[in-house]
């Protein structure tokens, strides 16, 4: 499904993982499978970096093409609506 940021990909498991120690292995297998599916969908020359944060989001000209901050959807002082998915 689409995520808030138009540059994000999010996947969720079909069912919750159990609370046991063995669940860590299930989570790792699931993440590897999702990553393989994502990489298989890329076009030549595209990459899908894994980031736990977007350190320069909202700093200077961080979008391409450049876009001014704010908009009706985010009402942000630093992040432009152009970098999030379209809103009705």
């Amino acid at each position: 499904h689409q995520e808030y940021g138009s540059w994000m990909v999010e996947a969720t498991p079909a069912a919750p993982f159990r609370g046991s120690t063995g669940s860590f292995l299930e989570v790792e297998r699931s993440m590897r499978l999702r990553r393989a599916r994502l990489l298989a969908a890329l076009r030549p020359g595209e990459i899908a970096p894994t980031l736990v944060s977007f350190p320069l989001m909202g700093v200077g000209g961080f979008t391409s093409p450049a876009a001014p901050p704010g908009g009706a959807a985010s009402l942000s002082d630093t992040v432009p609506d152009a970098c999030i998915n379209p809103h009705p």
Side-chain angles (χ1 to χ4, degrees):
H1 61 83
Q2 289 187 333
E3 186 53 70
Y4 179 79
S6 58
W7 41 266
M8 294 172 66
V9 175
E10 182 182 43
T12 55
F17 293 103
R18 298 181 310 277
S20 67
T21 306
S23 290
F24 290 117
L25 296 175
E26 291 179 53
V27 171
E28 184 178 1
R29 278 190 297 268
S30 176
M31 290 174 68
R32 287 182 189 275
L33 175 61
R34 286 184 265 158
R35 180 77 181 168
R37 288 177 177 166
L38 172 62
L39 294 176
L42 297 178
R43 296 181 186 127
E46 290 183 326
I47 63 168
T50 300
L51 302 172
V52 295
S53 65
F54 193 152
L56 294 177
M57 185 170 190
V59 178
F62 72 102
T63 60
S64 180
S74 69
L75 301 176
S76 175
D77 291 334
T78 58
V79 178
D81 278 3
C83 76
I84 59 177
N85 282 320
H87 291 77

